[in-house]
C-alpha cells in the first residue's frame, strides 16, 4: 500500500520488484476497511449527449495518486507497472483526454494530497467512507471487497475470528484496516482487538514480516491480500474469513468539482459495463480461481451502486 521509505522498507521493496519482474505475466497495491457508506444525495449524471472531454478543472496533465506496491491493483517494477487500479486510471485518461502522471502516495496522505492539490485524483484502493467524504469527493465505486487475513500456507492456527486474539497481526497506518480486527462480539469499539495489531507504512513490509515469521497474519482487503499470493505463489493463503462490512473503492478527488465528479461517474459506469470483467481476470486471477462467483462478490452495480455511493459536492 505504500512507498517503501525506511531501511527495512527498501530491502522489502527490492524483493517485491524482483519477484514482480519474474511474475509480471500474472499480476496486475491501502484502502481497506470501513463500514458501508450510507446513501448519499447525488445529482443526476449528465445525459448521453454530454461531452466526454475533461472538465476545465483538469488540465492536459493530471497527477494521479496511486500505490506502487500492490500486486494485482498497481505494482511498479523496474520495467513496467500493471494492475486493476492502473487500468482504470488509463481508461479515464483516454476517455477524458488527459495525460496521467502517476505519483505514489502513502495511505495516510491521500486526503491531504487531494486537498492541497498535489494530486488531482486518487485511484489507490481508496475506500469510500463517511470520514473521508467529509474531506474529499468520490466517484464510484469501481470495486468492492471485504477484509480478511493473510497467513503462511502452513499455518492453520486461525480458523475462526476469535483466534486472532494474542496473534501478531500487521496492517498499515492510515488504512481503514488500522481501526482493528473485529472479535466474535462484532466490530464495535469494545469488540476490537487493537493489542493484536502493529503497523507499517505499506503492506509489502507487512507481507515480508509474515514470510519471515515476525507476523502471524496481515490484515486488510481481500483484493490486496490475493494480489500478494500471486507475487509469492504457494507461500501464503487468504483465509475464508471476513470481517466487517463491504468496502467500496472509489476515485477520490478534491471537493467542489461537481462537473469532474459527474464525468468520472459516467466513465466508471462504462468501465464497469464494458471493461471490468476482463481487467479483473487479467490482474487478479487468484480471486477468479478461488471464487466462482467473483463478479457477485467484487463487481459493483454500474447503476445503483454508483448512484448510491458517489459523493459529488
Amino acid at each position: 500500500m505504500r512507498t517503501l521509505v525506511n531501511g527495512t522498507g527498501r530491502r522489502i521493496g527490492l524483493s517485491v520488484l524482483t519477484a514482480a519482474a519474474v511474475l509480471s505475466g500474472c499480476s496486475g497495491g491501502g484502502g481497506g476497511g470501513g463500514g458501508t457508506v450510507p446513501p448519499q444525495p447525488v445529482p443526476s449524471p449528465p445525459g448521453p449527449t454530454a461531452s466526454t472531454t475533461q472538465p476545465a478543472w483538469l488540465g492536459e496533465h493530471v497527477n494521479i495518486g496511486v500505490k506502487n506496491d500492490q500486486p494485482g491493483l498497481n505494482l511498479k517494477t523496474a520495467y513496467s507497472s500493471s494492475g486493476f487500479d492502473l487500468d482504470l486510471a488509463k481508461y479515464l485518461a483516454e476517455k477524458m483526454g488527459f495525460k496521467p502522471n502517476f505519483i505514489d502516495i502513502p495511505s495516510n496522505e491521500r486526503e491531504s494530497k487531494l486537498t492541497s492539490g498535489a494530486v488531482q485524483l486518487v485511484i489507490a484502493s481508496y475506500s469510500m467512507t463517511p470520514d473521508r467524504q467529509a474531506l474529499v469527493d468520490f466517484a464510484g465505486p469501481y470495486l468492492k471487497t471485504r477484509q480478511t487475513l493473510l497467513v503462511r500456507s502452513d499455518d492453520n492456527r486461525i480458523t475462526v475470528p476469535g483466534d486472532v486474539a494474542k496473534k501478531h497481526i500487521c496492517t498499515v497506518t492510515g488504512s481503514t484496516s488500522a481501526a482493528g480486527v473485529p472479535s466474535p462480539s462484532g466490530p464495535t469499539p469494545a469488540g476490537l482487538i487493537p493489542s493484536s495489531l502493529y503497523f507499517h507504512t505499506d503492506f509489502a513490509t507487512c507481507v515480508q514480516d509474515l514470510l519471515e515469521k515476525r507476523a502471524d497474519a496481515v490484515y486488510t482487503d481481500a483484493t490486496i491480500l490475493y494480489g500478494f499470493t500471486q507475487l509469492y505463489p504457494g507461500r501464503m493463503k487468504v483465509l475464508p474469513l471476513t470481517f466487517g462490512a463491504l468496502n467500496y473503492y472509489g476515485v477520490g478527488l478534491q471537493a467542489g468539482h461537481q462537473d469532474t465528479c459527474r464525468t468520472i461517474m459516467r466513465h466508471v459506469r462504462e468501465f464497469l459495463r464494458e471493461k471490468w470483467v476482463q481487467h479483473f481476470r487479467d490482474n487478479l486471477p487468484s480471486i477468479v480461481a478461488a471464487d466462482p462467483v467473483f463478479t457477485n462478490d467484487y463487481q459493483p452495480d454500474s447503476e445503483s451502486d454508483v448512484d448510491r455511493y458517489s459523493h459529488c459536492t
Side-chain angles (χ1 to χ4, degrees), residues 22 49 70 93 98 130 138 147 149 160 185 197-198 203 214 217 255 260 262 273 283:
V22 173
T49 59
Q70 291 186 349
F98 62 77
F138 283 99
Q147 293 185 104
L149 298 168
V160 297
S185 62
L197 295 178
Y198 74 99
F203 282 111
R214 291 188 293 271
T260 303
R262 294 173 194 167
R273 290 193 300 261
N283 291 299

Side-chain angles (χ1 to χ4, degrees), residues 1-18 68-69 75-76 104 199-209 212 214 228 232:
M1 294 263 310
R2 296 293 312 282
T3 301
L4 310 182
V5 295
N6 57 26
T8 302
R10 291 189 183 279
R11 173 170 58 82
I12 293 164
L14 290 175
S15 70
V16 170
L17 297 183
T18 302
N68 283 339
D69 65 344
L75 182 67
K76 184 177 182 180
D104 186 41
F199 305 92
H200 280 306
T201 57
D202 58 86
F203 282 111
T205 308
C206 282
V207 168
Q208 196 66 24
D209 278 6
E212 297 178 5
R214 291 188 293 271
F228 280 104
Y232 300 98

Side-chain angles (χ1 to χ4, degrees), residues 150-169:
L150 181 72
V151 299
R152 292 180 295 276
S153 294
D154 60 353
D155 189 346
N156 299 311
R157 292 176 298 162
I158 300 176
T159 58
V160 297
D163 291 338
V164 300
K166 298 182 180 180
K167 300 296 189 296
H168 208 42
I169 299 173

Side-chain angles (χ1 to χ4, degrees), residues 87-119:
D87 285 341
L88 172 62
K90 291 178 177 178
Y91 179 87
L92 292 177
E94 179 182 358
K95 290 290 185 178
M96 299 173 68
F98 62 77
K99 296 178 181 178
N101 176 36
F102 297 111
I103 299 174
D104 186 41
I105 59 174
S107 290
N108 62 355
E109 294 181 13
R110 287 176 292 196
E111 291 81 40
S112 63
K113 294 294 186 183
L114 283 171
T115 57
S116 70
V119 299

Side-chain angles (χ1 to χ4, degrees), residues 226 229 238 284-294 297-298:
Y226 271 109
T229 68
V238 177
L284 289 162
S286 56
I287 294 180
V288 176
D291 185 354
V293 291
F294 70 92
D297 294 333
Y298 293 91

